[in-house]
């Protein structure tokens, strides 16, 4: 990176514009060697910064004025005072022409003591943003204090002013220590240290004290840039909200737990009551089912006994019929019927005893099945065989 080094020097007559257009001059109170004059030109107010008469012809102070102009003119930022030129103003000598800022200093603003913490943090944010820009231009203000910070009346805009003691790496002259007691670091001018003093006065919240303490720490422990300070402050400012959020969530969780416990207790009681009702209904139903089962079992037992009885009766009957059939077969064999059929005699002589025997058997039979047996086994076959016998 190529850096065009700028060196301070004497104010040359050719560099100074001569004008007589300023009017309505009013000298403002100021300390030190600088002269502050409010003047009007082209219907607009301007701030003229020159040298008080005892220092006006002193070369050292002329160089200081020129150095301030060279440094400030390179800072083009909404939160830094704008300078336009160095001009010879009649009656005041060489003056830096800069914008007029209508408002009050941060010192006056803080003295009112009626601003909320949110408003103070907003102003601190703007101050850090402006100082970060100045640092990015390799520039040190070297006299940072509340009286060198301007605020508009509504406190919404900020301007860094008075770069009379500022310095850059590119300037090689007037490197003597500078600053204001109470805002200057022990080792000399330090914008970080001065910023810490201002932030301490602004009372940005108890967590911000950790950041302020590091700004005011010895050089080896101090912040190296404004961006780190701004980042850590934003973290501190967010922590109370996070803690409040965590507490709120914890309270909600606790309330939900209590409600859930109560709801679960009610649910368990309701479930227990439902189970009791179900148990009672189930018991009654089981008793009814058991009674029905017992009745059905009794009926089945009765039917089984009845069936066994009927089977016993049936077996007894079948046994009796079988016995009767066997008895009839023995009687038929005893009559010698087969021999009668084999006898060569007249049909009439055979027919009469055979039919008579069959009728006697039918008459003596008590069961229909026995009678059917006699008819089918003996009487009908006998009649058929008799019809086939030859006539005598």
């Amino acid at each position: 990176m190529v850096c065009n080094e700028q060196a301070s020097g004497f104010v040359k007559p050719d560099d100074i514009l001569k004008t007589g257009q300023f009017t309505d001059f009013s000298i403002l109170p100021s300390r030190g060697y600088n002269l502050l004059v409010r003047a009007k030109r082209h219907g607009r107010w301007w701030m003229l910064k020159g040298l008080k008469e005892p220092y006006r012809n002193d070369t050292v102070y002329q160089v200081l004025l020129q150095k301030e102009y060279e440094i400030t003119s390179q800072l083009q930022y909404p939160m830094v005072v704008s300078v336009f030129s160095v001009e010879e103003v009649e009656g005041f000598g060489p003056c830096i022409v800069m914008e007029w800022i209508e408002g009050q200093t941060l010192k006056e603003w803080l003295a009112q003591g009626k601003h909320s913490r949110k408003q103070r943090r907003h102003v601190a944010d703007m101050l850090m943003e402006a100082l970060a820009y100045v640092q990015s231009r390799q520039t040190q203000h070297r006299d940072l204090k509340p009286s060198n910070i301007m605020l508009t009346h509504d406190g919404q805009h900020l301007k860094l002013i008075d770069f009379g003691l500022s310095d850059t790496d590119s300037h090689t002259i007037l490197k003597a220590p500078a600053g204001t007691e109470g805002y200057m670091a022990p080792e000399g001018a330090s914008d970080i240290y001065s910023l810490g003093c201002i932030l301490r006065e602004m009372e940005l919240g108890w967590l911000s004290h950790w950041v302020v303490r590091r700004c005011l720490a010895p050089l080896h422990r101090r912040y190296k840039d404004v961006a780190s300070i701004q980042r850590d402050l934003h973290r501190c400012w967010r922590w109370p909200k996070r803690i409040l959020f965590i507490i709120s969530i914890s309270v909600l969780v606790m309330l939900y737990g209590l409600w859930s416990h109560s709801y679960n207790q009610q649910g368990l009681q309701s479930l227990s009551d439902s189970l009791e009702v179900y148990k009672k209904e189930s018991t009654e139903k089981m008793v009814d089912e058991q009674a029905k089962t017992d009745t059905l079992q009794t009926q089945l037992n009765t039917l089984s006994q009845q069936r066994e009885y009927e089977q016993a009766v049936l077996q007894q009957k079948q046994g009796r019929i079988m016995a009767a059939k066997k008895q009839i077969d023995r009687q038929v064999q005893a009559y010698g019927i087969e021999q009668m059929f084999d006898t060569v005699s007249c049909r009439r002589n055979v027919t009469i005893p055979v039919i008579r025997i069959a009728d006697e058997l039918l008459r003596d039979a008590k069961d229909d099945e026995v009678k059917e047996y006699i008819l089918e086994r003996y009487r009908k076959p006998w009649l058929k065989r008799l019809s086939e016998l030859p006539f005598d």
Side-chain angles (χ1 to χ4, degrees):
M1 179 177 178
V2 179
C3 179
N4 296 324
E5 183 175 345
Q6 298 178 356
S8 298
F10 294 101
V11 179
K12 300 178 182 178
D14 295 341
D15 295 335
I16 299 175
L17 301 176
K18 298 185 181 297
T19 177
Q21 297 176 349
F22 289 106
T23 60
D24 299 333
F25 297 99
S26 66
I27 299 175
L28 304 177
S30 61
R31 295 180 180 180
Y33 58 88
N34 283 121
L35 176 69
L36 300 177
V37 181
R38 182 188 186 200
K40 183 184 290 185
R41 181 167 66 179
H42 305 309
R44 174 182 172 183
W45 289 109
W46 301 85
M47 172 68 76
L48 305 179
K49 186 174 185 178
L51 299 172
K52 292 180 180 179
E53 190 170 357
Y55 308 97
R56 195 168 296 167
N57 296 322
D58 191 315
T59 305
V60 174
Y61 293 103
Q62 291 177 355
V63 172
L64 280 173
L65 189 67
Q66 178 66 17
K67 182 180 179 181
E68 179 180 357
Y69 169 72
E70 291 173 354
I71 292 175
T72 312
S73 63
Q74 300 299 315
L75 302 175
Q76 302 295 323
Y77 197 67
M79 296 181 185
V80 176
V81 62
S82 299
V83 300
F84 300 95
S85 61
V86 176
E87 301 181 16
E88 181 75 30
V89 180
E90 186 177 355
F92 301 105
C95 294
I96 300 174
V97 180
M98 62 183 68
E99 65 174 325
W100 168 259
I101 303 171
E102 188 69 38
Q104 58 186 333
T105 65
L106 178 60
K107 182 178 180 180
E108 296 169 339
W109 189 81
L110 290 174
Q112 296 174 357
K114 61 180 181 180
H115 310 292
S116 66
R117 181 174 293 175
K118 183 178 180 181
Q119 290 174 314
R120 295 197 300 272
R121 287 178 176 179
H122 175 65
V123 172
D125 239 352
M126 291 190 293
L127 173 59
M128 289 184 287
E129 183 180 342
L131 194 58
Y133 168 76
V134 172
Q135 277 193 342
S136 71
R137 304 293 294 178
Q138 291 78 47
T139 301
Q140 293 186 67
H141 189 283
R142 300 213 307 168
D143 194 19
L144 195 64
K145 55 186 177 181
S147 58
N148 285 340
I149 301 167
M150 292 291 296
L151 293 173
T152 58
H153 288 300
D154 58 4
Q156 296 300 312
H157 301 284
L158 176 144
K159 291 275 188 178
L160 278 182
I161 63 171
D162 194 359
F163 285 79
L165 300 179
S166 61
D167 196 11
T168 65
D169 294 339
S170 60
H171 285 78
T172 58
I173 61 173
L174 300 174
K175 295 289 187 178
T180 299
E181 187 177 355
Y183 296 93
M184 185 172 63
E187 72 278 0
S190 169
D191 287 349
I192 299 295
Y193 186 93
S194 301
L195 177 62
C197 295
I198 297 172
L199 294 176
R200 180 176 56 189
E201 292 181 20
M202 297 183 72
E203 298 180 356
L204 303 175
W206 65 274
L207 286 176
S208 304
H209 294 165
W210 296 96
V211 179
V212 171
R213 188 176 301 176
R214 186 175 172 187
C215 291
L216 304 179
L219 186 60
H220 67 281
R221 292 175 47 210
R222 196 178 302 160
Y223 284 105
K224 303 303 179 184
D225 55 80
V226 179
S228 300
I229 300 174
Q230 193 170 22
R231 180 196 63 221
D232 287 353
L233 274 178
H234 283 180
R235 288 177 177 173
C236 292
W237 296 343
R238 285 194 297 266
W239 262 110
K241 294 181 180 179
R242 292 179 179 177
I243 294 173
L244 181 60
F245 176 76
I246 292 172
I247 293 174
S248 301
I249 293 298
S250 301
V251 171
L252 289 175
V253 170
M254 182 178 66
L255 292 175
Y256 175 77
L258 293 175
W259 174 82
S260 178
H261 178 72
S262 175
Y263 180 79
N264 289 337
Q265 289 294 330
Q266 294 177 0
L268 290 174
Q269 184 63 38
S270 176
L271 180 60
S272 177
D273 295 341
S274 299
L275 289 175
E276 287 295 330
V277 173
Y278 176 76
K279 183 178 178 182
K280 183 177 179 180
E281 292 178 351
S282 298
T283 303
E284 294 175 354
K285 189 174 182 180
M286 288 176 63
V287 171
D288 293 341
E289 292 293 334
Q290 186 63 40
K292 291 179 180 179
T293 302
D294 293 343
T295 302
L296 182 60
Q297 186 65 38
T298 302
Q299 292 176 354
L300 290 175
N301 292 336
T302 302
L303 290 174
S304 178
Q305 293 175 359
Q306 184 177 355
R307 184 176 179 183
E308 290 177 358
Y309 173 76
E310 290 177 351
Q311 288 180 350
V313 171
L314 181 61
Q315 290 178 357
Q316 184 179 5
K317 181 179 179 181
Q318 289 178 350
R320 187 177 64 253
I321 292 171
M322 289 298 294
K325 290 179 179 180
K326 290 180 179 180
Q327 181 65 29
I328 290 170
D329 291 339
R330 284 195 296 269
Q331 290 178 1
V332 170
Q333 290 178 1
Y335 288 133
I337 300 299
E338 293 298 329
Q339 289 79 5
M340 291 182 184
F341 284 113
D342 292 337
T343 303
V344 180
S345 61
C346 65
R347 182 179 181 186
R348 179 179 178 183
N349 294 333
V350 177
T351 301
I352 293 172
V354 170
I355 296 304
R356 186 176 62 247
I357 292 170
D359 292 338
E360 289 176 357
L361 292 172
L362 288 171
R363 185 177 59 250
D364 295 336
K366 296 179 180 180
D367 295 317
D368 293 338
E369 292 184 10
V370 177
K371 292 179 180 180
E372 183 69 24
Y373 178 76
I374 295 171
L375 288 172
E376 296 296 330
R377 181 172 178 78
Y378 295 108
R379 198 172 191 284
K380 288 181 180 181
W382 287 350
L383 289 175
K384 182 179 180 181
R385 291 181 67 182
L386 289 172
S387 65
E388 295 175 352
L389 289 175
F391 288 99
D392 189 6

